[in-house]
Amino acid sequence: MWQLLSPTALLLLVSVCTQAADPSKSVVILDPPWDRLLEKDSVTLKCQGAYPPGNDSTQWWQNGTLISNQASSYSITDATVGDSGDYTCKTVLSAVSDPVRLEVHMGWLLLQAVRWVVQEGEPIRLRCHTWKNTPIQKVQYFQDGIGKKFAHKNFDFYIPNATSEHSGSYFCRGIVKNYNESSEAVRVTVQGPGSIIPSFFPPWHQIVFCLVMGLLFAVDTGLYFSVLRDLRSSKEDWRNDKVTWSRGPQDK
Ligand SMILES: *[C@@H]1O[C@H](CO)[C@@H](O)[C@H](O)[C@H]1NC(C)=O
Ligand SMILES: *[C@@H]1O[C@H](CO)[C@@H](O)[C@H](O)[C@H]1NC(C)=O
Ligand SMILES: *[C@@H]1O[C@H](CO)[C@@H](O)[C@H](O)[C@H]1NC(C)=O
Ligand SMILES: *[C@@H]1O[C@H](CO)[C@@H](O)[C@H](O)[C@H]1NC(C)=O
């Protein structure tokens, strides 16, 4: 009994505590993954989360205002600046997601990346996107105003192994329709090994709560089984007619 129940209790505790630390939130996924767009670009926002069988009904908010779309994905075609904003979603069975910020810009050139904050050792990939994918020549990327890679045709600027020296303000430049165009600069941050990405770690009060609950649970379970053992042995003693009374202080 003890051997069977203690792993079960432990599993229960672990599942309760991992849930407390990470309540099943919905997640907004961008497809394609760019969070900065030019006008006329398209993007599909997908809501990941738990859905009941046969019901993919989903709530979507832009800047905190409920929008009419109730499908699990929300497609923006021919984006306009007004599509910019913070998007959140919620499936029937999951909590409201963290916001995803979408920026729609006007212009010829736009720097894009899947992530603007990376850990040291992770790759950085920058993309020099043109309006309606217009051809571009003589493309160059800049970090903090200093020219980096150059090519005659468009290309992605790829850093396989980011270090703190790669943190900085980046833009790209090139010739579009005979005009010398530059994108706006965007900040890329490379975090050192000491820094923590907050969303991956539960807040301290939840860890303390789970530790205390775990301790209480362990003590409680221990008590339960020791009482059970005592009861069982006293029952045996009774059956064997060997009841013994411990002498209390008042008997002295
Ligand atoms: C899906 O679930 C939501 C919330 O419980 C409910 O309002 C809606 O009517 C359901 N839709 C379908 C198609 O069952
Ligand atoms: C949402 O907020 C952003 C700025 O945070 C703004 O640019 C955009 O126009 C807003 N969109 C709507 C529909 O309110
Ligand atoms: C990344 O660079 C660091 C420091 O130069 C090195 O120790 C590490 O092995 C590199 N990692 C990869 C995957 O290349
Ligand atoms: C684009 O303009 C910059 C100055 O704004 C200049 O230094 C650069 O050479 C020009 N690029 C080309 C390809 O003409």
Side-chain angles (χ1 to χ4, degrees), residues 137-138 150 173-175 180-182:
Q137 279 90 40
K138 299 187 179 164
F150 172 89
R173 188 169 82 187
I175 306 292
N180 188 346
E181 298 285 346
S182 293

Side-chain angles (χ1 to χ4, degrees), residues 34-174:
W34 323 119
D35 61 351
R36 309 178 79 236
L37 304 178
L38 286 172
E39 288 206 306
K40 300 227 176 273
D41 282 343
S42 297
V43 62
T44 300
L45 290 75
K46 295 179 176 168
C47 193
Q48 268 186 6
Y51 291 94
N55 187 342
D56 75 345
S57 160
T58 306
Q59 285 171 295
W60 289 93
W61 293 266
Q62 181 189 3
N63 292 353
T65 303
L66 196 65
I67 54 182
S68 60
N69 180 71
Q70 286 179 2
S72 60
S73 49
Y74 175 55
S75 288
I76 297 171
T77 49
D78 284 349
T80 64
V81 171
D83 291 316
S84 301
D86 290 331
Y87 286 86
T88 46
C89 74
K90 186 192 177 306
T91 71
V92 173
L93 297 178
S94 299
V96 177
S97 70
D98 289 327
V100 164
R101 173 156 294 186
L102 200 67
E103 290 179 16
V104 183
H105 294 260
M106 288 195 288
W108 279 103
L109 281 189
L110 182 81
L111 199 68
Q112 293 180 318
V114 176
R115 292 159 63 204
W116 301 101
V117 178
V118 301
Q119 297 293 113
E120 254 178 40
E122 287 181 336
I124 298 172
R125 186 187 289 278
L126 301 178
R127 188 171 183 253
C128 193
H129 174 52
T130 60
W131 187 58
K132 297 207 275 184
N133 295 315
T134 309
I136 179 171
Q137 279 90 40
K138 299 187 179 164
V139 177
Q140 190 168 20
Y141 288 85
F142 291 78
Q143 178 191 356
D144 299 318
I146 296 163
K148 297 285 171 178
K149 283 214 176 118
F150 172 89
H152 287 280
K153 288 202 286 186
N154 203 356
F155 67 104
D156 289 354
F157 183 45
Y158 184 66
I159 298 165
N161 187 354
T163 67
S164 56
E165 283 108 76
H166 295 115
S167 282
S169 180
Y170 287 81
F171 73 93
C172 65
R173 188 169 82 187

Side-chain angles (χ1 to χ4, degrees), residues 199-213:
S199 63
F200 284 6
F201 291 89
W204 286 110
H205 66 265
Q206 275 179 357
I207 294 177
V208 170
F209 172 81
C210 279
L211 283 178
V212 170
M213 287 313 282

